Amino acid sequence: MKYLAFILCFGALLAGCGSAPQELGFRQVDQETAKELMRTEQDYIILDVRTYEEYVEGHIPDAICIPNEVIDEEPLPELDDPDQLILVYCRSGRRSKEAAEKLADAGYTNVVEFGGIIDWTGDIVL
């Protein structure tokens, strides 16, 4: 009987974990939505969080490079307005999610992660 009660409690715990939505401190959008934001918004930063070597091989026009590895949970001098729209990307989307989370933890309130440059269909600066 104790075993059955344990199984039922454990199952309920797992079910509860899977059903609760994860709250992110940033928004995730697709590439088309990111392009629309770039077209319609006035004051934003495009943030490439790849390494500088990757950045110089090709990046989205007007993007600045701050590698994910140097971003921590402290505000950055290059990003002096915590409420400014910051559009974050990397190569595939993994590092941009990590960087977006760290930026949100550092107090940036308008962080938008849009994946990787490997899926980008817009212009690239070489």
Side-chain angles (χ1 to χ4, degrees):
M1 186 67 173
K2 289 181 186 178
Y3 182 73
L4 179 59
F6 172 77
I7 297 289
L8 290 174
C9 287
F10 187 72
L13 178 66
L14 288 177
C17 289
S19 64
Q22 180 183 6
E23 287 209 23
L24 302 173
F26 61 94
R27 286 188 300 155
Q28 291 181 283
V29 300
D30 61 22
Q31 303 272 325
E32 293 307 312
T33 303
K35 286 180 190 175
E36 183 65 16
L37 288 169
M38 291 174 198
R39 190 180 71 70
T40 59
E41 295 294 321
Q42 296 297 316
D43 186 34
Y44 61 87
I45 290 177
I46 304 170
L47 181 59
D48 186 325
V49 297
R50 299 175 299 154
T51 65
Y52 184 72
E53 291 76 20
E54 291 173 294
Y55 174 82
V56 296
E57 290 176 359
H59 57 273
I60 295 173
D62 300 319
I64 64 169
C65 179
I66 303 175
N68 180 45
E69 295 76 21
V70 302
I71 298 172
D72 60 20
E73 295 177 1
E74 297 295 322
L76 296 161
E78 301 93 329
L79 306 174
D80 60 351
D81 180 356
D83 299 319
Q84 185 175 27
L85 175 59
I86 303 171
L87 300 161
V88 185
Y89 76 95
C90 64
R91 187 187 70 79
S92 66
R94 184 187 60 79
R95 287 177 284 180
S96 58
K97 286 177 185 61
E98 290 175 4
E101 186 172 333
K102 290 189 282 187
L103 291 167
D105 289 345
Y108 294 95
T109 62
N110 200 4
V111 179
V112 176
E113 187 274 330
F114 66 96
I117 197 168
I118 60 173
D119 299 319
W120 186 251
T121 58
D123 293 339
I124 302 273
V125 175
L126 299 175

